[in-house]
Amino acid sequence: MPVNFAPDLVIQGFTPPLKRADFKLAAFDMDSTLINIECIDEIAAAAGKKAEVAAITEAAMRGEITDFKDSLRRRLSLLKGVPVSALEQVLNERLQFNPGARELCAALKAAGLKLVLVSGGFTYFTRYVAAQLGMDFVRSNELAFDANGALTGELVMQDWGDICDGEEKRRMMLACAAQIGALPAQCIAVGDGANDLPMMSAAGLSVAYHAKPKVREQAMVAINSGGLDRLLCVLSA
């Protein structure tokens, strides 16, 4: 039975608090979790296609579109020809960290946890976010550009594949955990959308941040208002 641990926290499956020292790794989604926007929707705004792209994004995050890879390819195809300057504008003018993101990451790092950024978004943005928050591992998608610096509507194949979907997020979290000698039970997974559920289900502590209903229902901790640092109420120092 879920309980309200605090006005903005819903807890189910355990009795808080837990100890930060019980965990060795925390994996985070980026868009709408660590940051305030869905980057692909903001890029689409520059192409005059935000409504069309955002509708697909919303349906995918709610779990109504179950094939994330297909939904991402559909959205990317609508962005063909968008110049790199549009991405620069999103990064410089639209992207902000969600409340408590810096504080939570700093507290977890101070407790000795390794941080993983796993995103269905793009390296153009994850590089910045990872550097700002001190992430130890990063996995995200690489946008392809043509010779004129415009989006081709496709992704670059990387050594692990081309699309970081829910299963890749899970695989990356577990691979990073194994690399540092951590068990899945010693992992924290934080997200907001349906494609975060695979990694959240594999982690010892799953956290939904201002999430879609399907994600809130399955998470052990749901932060429904306030900042990400509300999680620190559940994790004692």
Side-chain angles (χ1 to χ4, degrees), residues 29-65:
D29 170 53
M30 181 179 72
D31 293 54
S32 297
T33 299
L34 289 172
I35 63 174
N36 65 321
I37 58 172
E38 293 287 335
C39 291
I40 194 168
D41 295 353
E42 300 306 318
I43 298 169
K49 297 180 179 178
K50 182 171 182 177
E52 188 174 355
V53 170
I56 301 173
T57 300
E58 180 69 12
M61 293 302 98
R62 287 197 304 261
E64 296 169 3
I65 299 176

Side-chain angles (χ1 to χ4, degrees), residues 27-29 32-33 189-193 196 199-200 206-211 215:
F28 292 88
D29 170 53
S32 297
T33 299
V190 186
D192 74 301
D196 298 315
M199 72 170 180
M200 291 170 68
S206 56
V207 182
Y209 179 70
H210 294 207
V215 182

Side-chain angles (χ1 to χ4, degrees), residues 204-222:
L205 180 63
S206 56
V207 182
Y209 179 70
H210 294 207
K212 306 305 179 190
K214 182 177 181 180
V215 182
R216 291 200 306 267
E217 292 166 3
Q218 297 184 43
M220 297 169 68
V221 178

Side-chain angles (χ1 to χ4, degrees), residues 25 116 137-138 171-182:
L25 180 145
V116 185
F137 306 95
V138 183
R171 195 204 70 77
M172 179 64 175
M173 181 189 75
L174 294 177
C176 292
Q179 184 175 329
I180 65 170

